[in-house]
Amino acid sequence: MSSASEANALDVLVSPAVQQVLDAMQAAEINPEDALEISLVLLNFLQEYHVENLEELLADERPDPISIAVWAADSARLKTARQLLAEVLGEDDEDEDDEDEADEDDDELDHEDEEMDDEEIDDEGDSAIG
C-alpha cells in the first residue's frame, strides 16, 4: 500500500502536463483494462515518434550512425512493449493483422538501419586505420 506521502513524492517527479493527465485519469475512475488501452495508445505514439525521427536521420546527408542505432534500438524496445501490452489486452485477430502490417514496415526500416550502421561503422573503421 502506498501512503499519501509516497503519492505526493511521486507527484513532484512529473511535469505539470503529465500531472494534469494523471489527475484526469484518476477523476475518470478508469478500470485496469482502460489503463492498459491508454498505455497502448501512448506506446503507439512514442513508437511513431521514433520512426519519424529515424526516417529524418536516414534522410540526412551525413547521418550519425550512433544516433541511428540508439533511435532504432529504442524503437524496437517500444515495438516489443507494444506487442506485449497488446497480448495482455488480448486484442482480436483483426487488430493483429493491422499491427502485422505496421510491424513489417518497422522491420524494413530496422533492416535499413542495420545495413546503414554496418556500412558507416566499416567506413569509420577504415578511415581510422588508414
Side-chain angles (χ1 to χ4, degrees):
M1 293 239 165
S2 64
S3 66
S5 62
E6 288 176 24
N8 291 337
L10 291 176
D11 292 349
V12 175
L13 301 175
V14 297
S15 71
V18 171
Q19 188 58 53
Q20 184 178 6
V21 170
L22 294 174
D23 290 344
M25 288 173 56
Q26 186 175 13
E29 297 180 8
I30 62 169
N31 61 39
E33 186 174 343
D34 290 339
L36 285 171
E37 288 182 37
I38 291 167
S39 299
L40 186 58
V41 169
L42 291 172
L43 284 172
N44 285 331
F45 170 78
L46 289 172
Q47 188 181 8
E48 287 175 19
Y49 173 74
H50 275 71
V51 169
E52 288 172 9
N53 277 293
L54 273 171
E55 289 170 350
E56 288 176 17
L57 287 169
L58 291 170
D60 200 0
E61 285 184 26
R62 261 188 81 73
D64 176 22
I66 304 282
S67 294
I68 291 171
V70 169
W71 281 90
D74 287 346
S75 181
R77 288 181 188 110
L78 289 166
K79 176 182 170 184
T80 300
R82 182 179 49 81
Q83 289 171 331
L84 292 171
L85 190 56
E87 287 178 22
V88 171
L89 277 169
E91 289 192 341
D92 60 13
D93 292 339
E94 207 173 281
D95 290 340
E96 289 175 11
D97 291 340
D98 293 341
E99 286 184 16
D100 288 343
E101 290 174 14
D103 292 344
E104 288 173 11
D105 293 341
D106 292 342
D107 290 342
E108 289 174 16
L109 185 59
D110 290 343
H111 183 68
E112 289 174 11
D113 294 343
E114 290 171 8
E115 287 177 0
M116 178 176 250
D117 289 345
D118 291 342
E119 291 171 9
E120 294 281 335
I121 290 169
D122 288 343
D123 291 344
E124 289 177 6
D126 291 343
S127 64
I129 294 171

